[in-house]
Amino acid sequence: MKANMEILHVSKQYKNGVTALEDVSFCVGSGVFGLLGHNGAGKTTLMKALVTVLRPSAGEIRVCGFDTATQGKEVRARVGYLPQELAMYPSLCVWDFVNYMAAIKGVRDKKAISAVLEEVEMLEFARRKIGQLSGGMKRRVGIAQALIGNPQVLVVDEPTAGLDPEERVRFRGLLSRYARDGRTVLLSTHIVEDIHQLCEELAVLRKGRLFYAGTSAALLERVKDKVKILRLEKETQLIDLQKKSVVLSTTYESHGLTARIMDEDGLYPQAQPVEATLEDAYVYCMGGKAHA
C-alpha cells in the first residue's frame, strides 16, 4: 500500500497542559479512511496537524511524501480541508465565496469554480447568498471550496453531523466518488454508519491514544460471537451489569428492558447470541455505554 499520509509517533500537548494526542502512529493509503472517536478523543487536533494548521509537540507527519512541519507549502498544495465549523460570509453568494477561497489557494480559473460547484450539485444555486442556504447546502459549499485545485488528499471533519438522511447519503456518494484514482479522503466522524458505508480501513482514537488501526472486518472479528442480548426486569440489574460487562446499548420495553452486551467470558449463558455490528465494535473500543 502506498501511503498518502504517514502519522509517526505524533503527540500534541497544549500550553494549558492538556495532552490531546499521545504517541499516535498509523498510515493512510488511497480510498476513504475513517477516523472514529468521541468528542475530545483528539480527532480534530490530528486533522489540524495533518493540514498544517498546528504543529505536533513530537513526532512526524508526512502527506504525499512531504513533511507537514518543514514543507507546509507543498502539503497545502495537495490537501483540501473542510473543518467542522467553516466560517462563511453570509452576505456573499455561493460563487463569490468559492471564488474567494480559490483565490486564497492561488486558483484563478473560473472553470474550476464551476466544476466544483457542479460536482457538489450547487451550480444552480451559485448566485444565492450563503445566509439563505440550508445546513446541507452550506456543507456542500464547504466541500466545494475544499475540492478547489483537485487535491490528492481531502480531509473532512464531521461533514454529515446534523444533516438529514438524504443529505448524508448525498455526502457519502460524493466522498466515495472523489476517493477514486489513488486519491485519499480522511473522514473524521462519530457516526458509525458513515464509516460502515464508506471505509474499508479506519482508526479509532480514545482519549488521545490510538486504540485501533486496520480494516473494518478485522475490528468486527474482535467482537464476533461475543455480542449477546440479555433481558432484565429492573434498572438496578442494569447498574450491576455495567460493573461487570461492556453494555453496548439498552432498549426499554413495557416489561423491563433489554441490554446488548459483550459477553467475552461466557458469564451469561442465559443471554441470546446475536450478530455483531461495526457499531458494537466501536462502542466496545470506547469502553461501553457506562464509560462513553
Side-chain angles (χ1 to χ4, degrees):
M1 177 187 77
K2 179 186 176 183
N4 283 336
M5 291 184 180
E6 298 169 272
I7 295 96
L8 307 171
H9 303 289
V10 169
S11 296
K12 177 61 180 178
Q13 187 174 46
Y14 290 102
K15 291 181 179 180
N16 60 5
V18 172
T19 299
L21 296 169
E22 189 168 352
D23 196 26
V24 173
S25 296
F26 62 91
C27 294
V28 181
S30 59
V32 185
F33 187 96
L35 185 61
L36 273 168
H38 289 318
N39 291 334
K43 303 190 305 296
T44 296
T45 296
L46 179 58
M47 299 184 93
K48 286 181 176 180
L50 284 165
V51 300
T52 75
V53 172
L54 58 77
R55 182 175 292 200
S57 305
E60 180 183 2
I61 299 175
R62 301 189 70 83
V63 177
C64 299
F66 296 98
D67 188 299
T68 57
T70 61
Q71 298 171 296
K73 184 177 180 180
E74 288 84 354
V75 171
R76 288 188 291 273
R78 290 161 177 82
V79 173
Y81 178 43
L82 174 61
Q84 188 172 356
E85 298 293 337
L86 175 65
M88 295 184 178
Y89 301 98
S91 61
L92 286 183
C93 71
V94 170
W95 177 277
D96 288 342
F97 175 75
V98 178
N99 183 48
Y100 169 73
M101 298 300 286
I104 291 175
K105 296 182 180 183
V107 176
R108 307 291 179 183
D109 184 4
K110 304 304 180 186
K111 291 181 180 179
I113 299 170
S114 296
V116 295
L117 288 177
E118 187 170 14
E119 192 164 357
V120 301
E121 300 178 39
M122 285 297 292
L123 188 57
E124 64 179 297
F125 305 104
R127 295 303 169 188
R128 184 172 295 185
K129 291 186 183 298
I130 297 288
Q132 298 173 337
L133 301 179
S134 67
M137 285 180 166
K138 287 179 181 177
R139 293 289 173 86
R140 280 189 259 162
V141 174
I143 285 286
Q145 64 81 31
L147 295 181
I148 286 288
N150 193 29
Q152 178 72 14
V153 173
L154 183 62
V155 177
V156 290
D157 194 355
E158 300 283 1
T160 64
L163 299 185
D164 61 40
E166 183 180 352
E167 281 287 355
R168 283 178 56 201
V169 170
R170 189 198 303 269
F171 261 89
R172 289 203 294 257
L174 173 62
L175 296 177
S176 181
R177 289 193 301 273
Y178 194 78
R180 297 171 182 167
D181 305 321
R183 290 183 294 210
T184 296
V185 174
L186 181 67
L187 169 65
S188 170
T189 184
H190 64 275
I191 301 174
V192 181
E193 178 65 17
D194 288 344
I195 299 291
H196 175 68
Q197 294 290 338
L198 287 170
C199 309
E200 290 187 9
E201 296 197 20
L202 69 150
V204 180
L205 290 178
R206 181 176 175 183
K207 298 179 180 178
R209 288 180 170 270
L210 182 69
F211 187 89
Y212 174 82
T215 65
S216 300
L219 182 58
L220 270 172
E221 278 295 316
R222 290 192 174 195
V223 296
K224 186 179 179 181
D225 300 325
K226 298 174 183 177
V227 179
K228 298 180 180 179
I229 294 291
L230 185 63
R231 306 195 185 282
L232 307 173
E233 294 180 1
K234 303 175 182 178
E235 190 148 3
T236 53
Q237 292 176 289
L238 175 62
I239 296 171
D240 291 336
L241 182 64
Q242 288 173 329
K243 295 175 182 177
K244 300 174 184 177
S245 298
V246 174
V247 176
L248 301 166
S249 64
T250 54
T251 304
Y252 287 83
E253 301 164 347
S254 56
H255 302 288
L257 62 152
T258 299
R260 191 178 181 96
I261 65 169
M262 280 289 298
D263 188 15
E264 298 177 85
D265 303 316
L267 298 177
Y268 304 95
Q270 74 275 30
Q272 176 187 349
V274 292
E275 186 175 352
T277 67
L278 189 60
E279 182 137 11
D280 293 329
Y282 170 59
V283 176
Y284 176 58
C285 285
M286 293 297 103
K289 191 171 189 288
H291 304 95

